[in-house]
Amino acid sequence: MSEQFDVVALGEAMVEFNQAKSSEPLYRQGFGGDTSNAVIAASRQGARTAYLSRVGEDHFGRMLLDLWQAEGVDVSAVARDPQAPTGLYFVNHGPEGHAFSYLRAGSAASRMQPQTMDLSAAGRTRWLHVSGISQAISAGACDTVFAAIETARAAGGKVSFDPNLRLSLWPLARARATICATIAMTDLFLPSLDEAVALAGTDDVPAIFAWARAHGAHTVVLKAGSTGAWYAEQGAQPQLAAARAVQAVDATGAGDCFDGSLLARLAAGDALGDAVRYANAAAGLSTLGHGAVAPIPTAAQVRAALA
C-alpha cells in the first residue's frame, strides 16, 4: 500500500446551530457530524487526513469545504450534490442536558452510493474511520461504509468503527445486526459505555469486552466519559485510563474528538495505552468550549495538559 494519509474518515458532516444561552433564542453557528469532527481532531493532532462524503451545492456545503481545507483535511473526494441539501442540526441546552434536533432527511450525504463515490483514499491510509450513524442514514450510505471498509482492508489498512448508536435513526434490532456485522470487519471498536450497554445488554465492563470479542473485535476502547476509557487488545484484560477532571461546558463531540486524537497517535506509532491517555486529555479539553469543532484542542494544547 502506498500510504498517503494517516486517517481517512467517511460519513455525513453537518452545520451546527448551538444555543448560546438556554434562556435565549440565540444560536452560535458551528460544525458537526461525528466522523467529520473526528477527522478534524486527527488533523489538529498532526495527522495527514482526508474526508469522504457528499455535501449540497449550497452555502452550507461551501462552508464545510472551507472548514476542511482550513483544517488541512483533503477534500478531493467530497462530492457536491446539486439536488440535495447539506444537513443541519440544532443543539438546545436545558436542565436535562443538551438536546439535538436534526434536519438531515434526504441530505446530500444520505445519497452516498458505492458506485458514485471516490473511495480510493480508503486504500491509501493507515486508518479508515467509519461510524454507525453513516450506516443508519440510508441504505446507500450503509453500503458505502462497507465498500470503504473492503477497500481499506484489501490495501492492508486498518479500520476503526464507532457505533455512535442513535435510536432516533434506526430501531435497536437493525442497529445491533448491522453493528455486529461491522465489528467483525474492523480492527478497532470504539463504543461509548451507554452504547455498549444497549448493544450488549449488560453494564459489566468485562462482559462488554467479552461480547465485543465474541463478535470479532480485535482491539476495544470503551469510552466512559468523565471516568475515562477502558481499553484492551486481543486476549488482554481491560484496563482503565482515568480521565482528568475538567469543568465541562459542552460535551458535544467529545467522543469524536477522542476517536480522532486516538487514531492520530496510533498512526504515529504510540502504544494503545499511551494513545488512550492522550485521547482522554484531548476529549476533556474539547468540553471546555461550545460546539463540536471550535474547542477541539491542538497537539500543543494536549501536550501541555498532559505535562
Side-chain angles (χ1 to χ4, degrees):
M1 179 174 70
S2 57
E3 288 170 358
Q4 183 175 338
F5 302 109
D6 298 311
V7 181
V8 170
L10 180 148
E12 177 171 39
M14 290 178 288
V15 173
E16 171 190 86
F17 294 92
N18 202 313
Q19 191 175 21
K21 292 182 180 178
S22 58
S23 58
E24 297 178 14
L26 298 172
Y27 292 81
R28 292 185 182 90
Q29 186 268 307
F31 301 95
D34 58 345
T35 55
S36 173
N37 300 338
V39 84
I40 289 169
S43 192
R44 288 193 189 176
Q45 310 320 308
R48 300 165 300 166
T49 60
Y51 198 55
L52 310 178
S53 189
R54 290 172 75 88
V55 296
E57 187 77 72
D58 52 29
H59 176 66
F60 295 125
R62 287 190 291 275
M63 288 171 66
L64 282 165
L65 288 164
D66 289 345
L67 167 73
W68 292 319
Q69 288 170 321
E71 295 287 349
V73 178
D74 186 288
V75 296
S76 56
V78 177
R80 301 186 68 176
D81 189 331
Q83 269 90 47
T86 304
L88 310 177
Y89 73 100
F90 293 81
V91 187
N92 294 89
H93 301 274
E96 301 298 313
H98 50 286
F100 293 85
S101 303
Y102 293 93
L103 297 174
R104 74 188 330 164
S107 69
S110 73
R111 288 156 56 103
M112 284 190 284
Q113 298 282 347
Q115 59 271 28
T116 58
M117 285 285 291
D118 176 4
L119 300 177
S120 59
R124 301 195 310 275
T125 185
R126 292 175 184 269
W127 284 97
L128 170 70
H129 181 62
V130 296
S131 94
I133 288 178
S134 306
Q135 295 174 310
I137 57 175
S138 71
C142 187
D143 291 344
T144 305
V145 170
F146 284 123
I149 290 172
E150 289 168 5
T151 301
R153 286 166 62 94
K158 293 185 175 181
V159 179
S160 70
F161 175 49
D162 187 331
N164 242 330
L165 183 64
R166 298 290 184 271
L167 294 178
S168 58
L169 291 174
W170 53 354
L172 180 58
R174 192 192 318 156
R176 187 185 282 122
T178 304
I179 288 166
C180 289
T182 310
I183 291 171
M185 303 171 71
T186 54
D187 301 277
L188 175 60
F189 183 46
L190 292 165
S192 71
L193 183 57
D194 289 347
E195 290 160 358
V197 169
L199 292 166
T202 176
D203 61 1
D204 178 70
V205 169
I208 288 169
F209 275 76
W211 173 88
R213 285 173 176 155
H215 287 92
H218 182 273
T219 299
V220 180
V221 177
L222 180 64
K223 295 173 284 185
S226 59
T227 301
W230 296 87
Y231 65 95
E233 292 175 288
Q234 187 104 43
Q237 292 300 310
Q239 298 183 64
L240 175 65
R244 294 158 184 254
V246 294
Q247 295 296 315
V249 173
D250 179 9
T252 304
D256 308 327
C257 176
F258 181 101
D259 292 353
S261 301
L262 178 75
L263 292 172
R265 293 316 310 163
L266 291 174
D270 282 9
L272 179 62
D274 293 335
V276 170
R277 284 182 282 275
Y278 184 100
N280 267 344
L285 292 172
S286 77
T287 68
L288 301 180
H290 285 280
V293 170
I296 293 172
T298 62
Q301 290 169 319
V302 180
R303 298 251 178 249
L306 286 168

